């Protein structure tokens, strides 16, 4: 204890005398001796602030970060530009405790930020209502599946194999313990196999999950999937890249009932994998089945604009057995960053980011495939990610790129055995023509 608490010997002696014991060890007298370690922990001597700072820097310098590498890796986590204003505003004292509005009446600042966030997510997705935020895209998708099962009182979910593999793994893990069947829909040429989907949809299906742009970056037309599931009184759940909504049709306009995704791209750092920001939006008829919180707008006793927790379906607020979920929380800080990002860019700014992603990705695709050393894996329209294949070992290709200071593409063989020696590259608005040309030239000489 003395290693972490700055008490002097005199302080400890005083406290021990006050409770009539001779040593700190006496506080643990009820613990059987055979369970005690019997010696001090094998820890080095403590360091000063300067020493620990240098020590941590030396450890960190052994890693390569995006300050050292040019990133062409995506697959669910993206290297987008983050306006400097975000860190400035989010670090203001007003937001230092931005976590969750347990005392809603006195959390007006937090509630307003959530309200603005929900409004923008609803507008982007074409849905009626959005909740505060989720842990990440994968658990958000899982919550949507549970929501579909609860709403339809059915126990079967269909999910396309073009949905992010990590998301599907999380989905299966949670559903396993809820006795909900998760059935995967085959794919053909990088998109959902509609014939297979037709053979699987039934009156027992609660919902079908599709992704667009899908894991391979391909823009899928899921209107037919929506018609199939709606004919059987089920729900269409779409998983989307929110940046793509700057130029693509909203899921709501294409028949989606629930929209989920990962909003890390909205002003949040890559952060070595988290914390991230899952979002969820839905139609008003499903609002009461939505997990988490929904913030609404009202007026106070003086008639001024005010904000309230309209719905709060978590077990902290209502009877546990009636709660919709407890795996979702309000990722307040991440949500705030997304809100500042969207406010800063505005509609035209978000559209510009999406356009640059699409145009630069197309340029990179053309440059990489023009010599035919790397060939397109699919012949489909894509957004900011595309897959190519070659005769070479994809891991060796990435090793060579790393030597040139390039973080290469995602090795698809990790999740899809049929796509060994295939790489999926991601190009965001941050990538320059010279960076793309360097990538292409290095690949050319492999």
């Amino acid at each position: 204890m003395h290693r972490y608490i700055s008490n002097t010997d005199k302080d400890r002696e005083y406290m021990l005398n006050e409770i009539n014991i001779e040593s700190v060890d006496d506080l643990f007298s009820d613990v059987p001796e055979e369970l005690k370690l019997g010696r001090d922990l094998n820890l080095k001597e403590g360091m000063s602030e300067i020493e620990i700072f240098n020590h941590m820097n030396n450890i960190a310098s052994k890693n390569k970060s995006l300050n050292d590498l040019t990133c062409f890796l995506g697959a669910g986590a993206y290297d987008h530009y983050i306006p400097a204003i975000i860190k400035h505003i989010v670090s203001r004292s007003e937001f230092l405790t931005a976590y969750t509005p347990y005392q809603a009446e006195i959390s007006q600042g937090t509630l307003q930020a959530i309200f603005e966030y929900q409004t923008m997510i609803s507008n982007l997705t074409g849905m009626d209502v959005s909740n505060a935020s989720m842990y990440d895209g994968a658990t958000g998708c899982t919550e949507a599946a549970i929501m579909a099962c609860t709403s339809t009182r059915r126990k079967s979910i269909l999910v396309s194999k073009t949905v992010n593999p990590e998301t599907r793994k999380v989905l299966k893990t949670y559903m396993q313990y809820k006795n909900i069947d998760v059935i995967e829909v085959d794919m053909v040429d990088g998109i959902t196999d509609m014939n297979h989907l037709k053979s699987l949809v039934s009156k027992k299906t609660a919902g079908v999950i599709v992704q667009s742009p899908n894991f391979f970056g391909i823009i899928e037309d899921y209107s037919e999937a929506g018609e199939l599931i709606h004919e059987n009184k089920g729900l269409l759940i779409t998983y989307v890249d929110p940046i793509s909504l700057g130029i693509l049709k909203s899921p709501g306009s294409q028949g989606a009932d629930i929209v989920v995704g990962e909003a890390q791209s909205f002003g949040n750092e890559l952060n070595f994998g988290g914390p991230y920001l899952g979002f969820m939006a839905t139609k008003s008829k499903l609002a009461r089945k939505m997990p988490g919180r929904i913030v609404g707008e009202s007026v106070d006793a003086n008639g001024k604009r005010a904000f309230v927790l309209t719905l709060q379906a978590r077990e902290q607020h209502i009877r546990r057995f009636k709660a919709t979920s407890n795996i979702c929380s309000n990722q307040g800080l991440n949500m705030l960053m997304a809100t500042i990002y969207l406010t800063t860019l505005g509609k035209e700014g978000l559209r510009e980011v999406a356009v640059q992603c699409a145009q630069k990705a197309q340029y990179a695709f053309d440059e990489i495939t023009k010599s035919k050393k790397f060939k397109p894996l699919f012949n489909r329209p894509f957004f900011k990610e595309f897959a190519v294949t070659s005769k070479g070992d994809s891991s060796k290709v990435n090793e060579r790129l790393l030597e040139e200071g390039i973080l290469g593409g995602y090795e698809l063989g990790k999740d899809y055995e049929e796509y060994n020696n295939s790489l999926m590259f991601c190009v965001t608005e941050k990538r320059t023509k010279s960076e793309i040309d360097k990538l292409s030239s290095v690949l050319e000489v492999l």
Side-chain angles (χ1 to χ4, degrees):
M1 292 174 69
H2 65 280
R3 293 178 184 270
Y4 307 103
I5 301 176
S6 58
N7 293 325
T8 65
D9 290 337
K10 187 175 182 180
D11 291 332
R12 285 191 288 273
E13 181 181 356
Y14 175 79
M15 289 187 286
L16 292 173
N17 288 334
E18 281 294 307
I19 56 178
N20 295 318
I21 61 174
E22 295 183 1
S23 69
V24 173
D25 289 338
D26 291 342
L27 291 171
F28 305 95
S29 59
D30 291 337
V31 180
E33 290 298 321
E34 62 270 20
L35 298 180
K36 295 180 181 179
L37 183 61
R39 59 174 176 78
D40 288 337
L41 293 174
N42 185 22
L43 299 175
K44 295 181 179 180
E45 289 299 314
M47 297 182 185
S48 68
E49 184 173 291
I50 295 175
E51 289 172 326
I52 195 66
F53 186 80
N54 291 333
H55 176 67
M56 297 305 294
N57 273 341
N58 288 335
I59 294 175
S61 66
K62 295 179 180 180
N63 293 325
K64 292 285 187 181
S65 73
L66 295 190
N67 293 324
D68 309 301
L69 302 172
T70 303
C71 181
F72 286 96
L73 179 63
Y78 301 103
D79 181 28
H80 284 284
Y81 172 67
I82 299 176
I85 192 174
I86 292 178
K87 287 186 178 179
H88 174 73
I89 294 180
V90 83
S91 61
R92 287 179 61 88
S93 60
E94 296 95 322
F95 301 119
L96 286 180
T97 57
Y99 166 59
T100 190
Y102 283 121
Q103 291 79 37
E105 297 79 6
I106 60 173
S107 301
Q108 285 296 302
T110 298
L111 290 177
Q112 181 173 0
I114 294 174
F115 178 81
E116 303 295 352
Y117 162 82
Q118 291 176 169
T119 301
M120 288 186 278
I121 292 296
S122 296
N123 289 340
L124 272 176
T125 59
M127 293 283 104
D128 298 322
V129 62
S130 165
N131 67 3
S133 51
M134 315 291 286
Y135 285 145
D136 50 42
T139 51
C141 185
T142 298
E143 286 295 313
I146 295 172
M147 190 171 152
C149 291
T150 302
S151 301
T152 61
R153 298 183 180 180
R154 298 174 182 177
K155 289 282 190 175
S156 178
I157 290 289
L158 303 181
V159 57
S160 172
K161 288 183 179 179
T162 65
V163 171
N164 189 308
E166 290 186 357
T167 299
R168 286 186 280 125
K169 288 176 184 177
V170 172
L171 177 68
K172 291 176 183 177
T173 299
Y174 278 101
M175 297 301 106
Q176 175 184 349
Y177 298 101
K178 286 184 170 289
N179 297 316
I180 295 173
D181 294 327
V182 177
I183 303 169
E184 293 192 336
V185 183
D186 289 339
M187 58 184 182
V188 55
D189 194 25
I191 63 171
T192 307
D193 185 342
M194 283 299 148
N195 290 326
H196 191 219
L197 179 61
K198 287 178 184 177
S199 69
L200 294 174
V201 174
S202 70
K203 300 296 182 183
K204 296 181 180 180
T205 307
V208 59
I209 304 172
V210 293
Q211 180 174 339
S212 181
N214 67 24
F215 181 66
F216 305 111
I218 297 171
I219 301 169
E220 288 204 38
D221 179 359
Y222 46 83
S223 56
E224 187 176 357
E227 292 173 2
L228 285 170
I229 192 64
H230 290 152
E231 286 173 3
N232 288 272
K233 308 299 182 183
L235 301 178
L236 175 63
I237 302 167
T238 59
Y239 190 105
V240 300
D241 176 349
I243 293 289
S244 72
L245 298 180
I247 54 175
L248 298 180
K249 286 184 178 180
S250 71
S253 67
Q254 299 180 74
D257 298 294
I258 308 173
V259 184
V260 293
E262 174 56 64
Q264 171 267 325
S265 299
F266 284 169
N268 283 262
E269 300 277 1
L270 284 164
N271 294 329
F272 298 96
Y276 280 176
L277 173 66
F279 66 89
M280 174 187 282
T282 189
K283 294 181 178 178
S284 57
K285 66 179 181 180
L286 297 171
R288 289 190 174 276
K289 300 296 183 182
M290 179 179 281
R293 301 179 176 86
I294 298 175
V295 174
E297 184 179 9
S298 184
V299 292
D300 63 15
N302 297 317
K304 295 182 179 179
R305 189 184 189 210
F307 301 91
V308 296
L309 277 180
T310 303
L311 289 176
Q312 39 192 334
R314 300 184 72 210
E315 49 87 11
Q316 289 98 327
H317 300 292
I318 61 177
R319 285 175 287 185
R320 185 179 298 272
F321 68 93
K322 286 192 174 183
T324 56
S325 171
N326 192 38
I327 76 160
C328 71
S329 183
N330 172 31
Q331 301 292 85
L333 188 63
N334 305 81
M335 173 277 301
L336 181 60
M337 290 179 177
T339 304
I340 300 168
Y341 177 88
L342 289 171
T343 304
T344 302
L345 266 67
K347 292 181 181 179
E348 293 304 316
L350 183 62
R351 176 178 172 80
E352 179 63 24
V353 170
V355 167
Q356 286 202 28
C357 286
Q359 290 179 342
K360 291 181 177 183
Q362 186 64 56
Y363 174 75
F365 173 82
D366 293 341
E367 290 298 302
I368 291 171
T369 59
K370 67 181 179 181
S371 71
K372 296 186 171 33
K373 189 168 186 178
F374 284 84
K375 299 179 180 180
L377 185 59
F378 307 113
N379 183 26
R380 299 282 181 179
F382 56 84
F383 175 50
K384 67 184 179 188
E385 291 175 279
F386 58 87
V388 295
T389 187
S390 71
K391 295 180 180 178
D393 185 328
S394 58
S395 63
K396 298 295 183 183
V397 173
N398 274 340
E399 288 175 9
R400 181 70 185 90
L401 289 172
L402 195 59
E403 292 174 1
E404 296 293 330
I406 297 173
L407 187 58
Y410 186 80
E411 298 166 25
L412 290 176
K414 293 179 179 179
D415 299 294
Y416 300 89
E417 292 182 359
E418 64 269 40
Y419 297 144
N420 278 327
N421 299 331
S422 297
L423 286 167
M424 182 172 70
F425 291 100
C426 174
V427 186
T428 69
E429 80 284 5
K430 282 183 67 175
R431 300 288 68 86
T432 64
K433 182 178 182 296
S434 61
E435 290 172 338
I436 296 171
D437 289 343
K438 181 180 178 180
L439 169 68
S440 176
S441 63
V442 175
L443 292 174
E444 185 63 30
V445 298
L446 289 176

